[in-house]
Amino acid sequence: LVEACAARLDRALALEELEAARVEFLGRKGQLAAVMSRLPGLDPDARREAGKAANAVKERLTALYDARLADLNRAAMDVALAGFDPTVPGYAPAAGSLHPVTLVTAEICKALEELGFSIVTGPEIETDYYNFEALNMPPEHPARDMQDTLYISDSIVLRTHTSPLQIRTMLARKPPVAVIAPGKVYRRDSDLTHTPMFHQIEGLLVDEGVSMADLRGTLTAFVRRIFGPKTNVRFRPSFFPFTEPSAEVDISCVLCGGKGSTAAGPCRVCKGTGFVEILGCGMVDPNVFDAVGYDTERYTGFAFGMGVERVTMLKYGIGDLRMFFENDIRFLSQF
Ligand code: PHE
């Protein structure tokens, strides 16, 4: 039996043949089992001897089978590895990267969180009340013009700015509040410098005794974190319905540093003015406090709002807004 089995195993060149041999000799209905099934018929002494011999044969067959299995497995591995050179460097899998707008949103939020603001978010589909009315824009206000706003229905809009989060936050919390609200906003606008969807980050701080000096100090500290410690800010009077007074904030030009010119001539980023606009801001209008039930005698506050695409373009020297939306890997993988 051992010899017959050994010969069969030697002839088995594939794992399937080996398995067939195992079934034939070692299987439950195999040749060894057949021999063993005759043992109970023998008288006790002969049975003991025959049983010992049968067990020895079984061990031998099993050892032969295991050895042949190892041989075949090794041979299969050799075939698989033939021509494979483990010292050849592999291909690095293409890894994705964060979109520059995502990256800069995170950076802006981190800078403001370090100054004590915490993040709030809200819906992109907003009611007229939060997007306009509570922000001191009554129904006939020109800022609600059908030109800019994407309407879902008479009273439901795609939010045109993140300022509704001012209202939602103040209705939900008592002062002091210090929040920032990043998110997508929508306007019916599409040309070289406008996209129908873009990103804003809103800031709101309300407490007793908050002044415009606090606003200026906060924004100065903020822009220095984002654009470097030499950056200066300039406030220009402006108008927003929900802040009074209102200002637009410029920072010293990211390219010429405020000089208005470079070695190549007049600065192309600031057009020679030395400053670039970065955000809108102001002191919260008392009408807004009235809308949310804050005591206008006791509390004052400031708010600001900036466009993330704009900040990103300034920070990285990107000249074309459309780059952010074209999904060109050659552009996106640079950040
Ligand atoms: N919401 C304004 C805009 O979209 C920006 C702004 C926010 C201005 C907060 C003042 C205060 O233009």
Side-chain angles (χ1 to χ4, degrees):
L1 198 57
V2 171
E3 264 160 36
C5 179
R8 247 322 268 287
L9 290 176
D10 276 344
R11 267 185 279 122
L13 292 177
L15 289 170
E16 303 82 62
E17 296 172 64
L18 183 64
E19 175 63 7
R22 188 191 67 75
V23 170
E24 182 180 334
F25 288 95
L26 284 160
R28 254 192 321 123
K29 293 178 180 156
Q31 297 198 29
L32 181 63
V35 170
M36 287 187 151
S37 72
R38 297 207 302 270
L39 293 181
L42 301 178
D43 52 43
D45 283 348
R47 196 196 308 160
R48 200 175 304 113
E49 285 307 308
K52 253 191 212 160
N55 270 329
V57 167
K58 183 179 181 182
E59 261 171 45
R60 188 84 193 98
L61 292 184
T62 305
L64 282 171
Y65 168 79
D66 287 347
R68 188 67 183 152
L69 179 64
D71 282 350
L72 287 186
N73 276 334
R74 202 175 312 111
M77 186 64 86
D78 285 347
V79 169
L81 290 181
F84 176 75
D85 179 351
T87 66
V88 173
Y91 296 100
S97 59
L98 292 179
H99 191 282
V101 168
T102 306
L103 218 59
V104 170
T105 299
E107 195 181 337
I108 291 170
C109 288
K110 177 164 183 287
L112 289 166
E113 283 183 288
E114 284 169 7
L115 292 174
F117 292 86
S118 48
I119 293 177
V120 294
T121 56
E124 292 169 26
I125 299 171
E126 195 45 287
T127 63
D128 180 280
Y129 179 76
Y130 290 108
N131 196 80
F132 294 123
E133 183 131 24
L135 287 162
N136 200 28
M137 282 179 271
E140 68 287 358
H141 197 283
R144 311 169 62 142
D145 201 313
M146 300 282 290
Q147 295 291 352
D148 291 12
T149 306
L150 289 157
Y151 280 86
I152 300 234
S153 71
D154 272 356
S155 59
I156 300 180
V157 302
L158 293 181
R159 67 180 178 193
T160 59
H161 52 182
T162 43
S163 299
L165 268 302
Q166 292 187 32
I167 305 304
R168 289 183 174 276
T169 302
M170 288 190 281
L171 284 174
R173 302 185 192 183
K174 295 269 150 283
V177 297
V179 294
I180 48 176
K184 291 179 166 69
V185 301
Y186 302 83
R187 291 185 193 174
R188 234 178 76 178
D189 232 347
S190 189
D191 59 36
L192 280 186
T193 54
H194 298 85
T195 48
M197 184 280 291
F198 62 104
H199 298 78
Q200 285 190 337
I201 296 179
E202 190 86 5
L204 172 71
L205 182 131
V206 183
D207 200 352
E208 293 179 18
V210 175
S211 75
M212 203 136 178
D214 298 312
L215 172 57
R216 191 180 171 106
T218 301
L219 290 179
T220 302
F222 165 67
V223 299
R224 287 183 179 167
R225 277 166 192 246
I226 300 296
F227 291 100
K230 296 208 183 85
T231 312
N232 287 319
V233 302
R234 171 172 92 172
F235 277 51
R236 271 183 296 109
S238 185
F239 175 81
F240 299 102
F242 34 91
T243 49
E244 182 61 33
S246 302
E248 262 159 323
V249 173
D250 299 338
I251 57 169
S252 47
C253 179
V254 291
L255 183 62
C256 67
K259 291 196 288 292
S261 61
T262 62
C267 178
R268 63 186 162 78
V269 170
C270 63
K271 308 276 182 288
T273 63
F275 285 89
V276 288
E277 185 189 325
I278 172 147
L279 56 81
C281 66
M283 302 306 292
V284 178
D285 193 295
N287 288 343
V288 175
F289 283 154
D290 279 339
V292 298
Y294 274 17
D295 181 351
T296 55
E297 294 299 314
R298 185 167 170 198
Y299 297 111
T300 51
F302 63 69
F304 57 88
M306 71 190 98
V308 181
E309 281 81 357
R310 180 165 180 75
V311 174
T312 308
M313 288 172 81
L314 289 172
K315 195 174 159 65
Y316 289 105
I318 298 163
D320 187 345
L321 176 67
R322 292 169 300 183
M323 297 268 217
F324 292 127
F325 302 99
E326 283 170 350
N327 292 332
D328 187 331
I329 290 290
R330 292 169 300 178
F331 171 72
L332 296 177
S333 60
Q334 290 180 48
F335 299 90

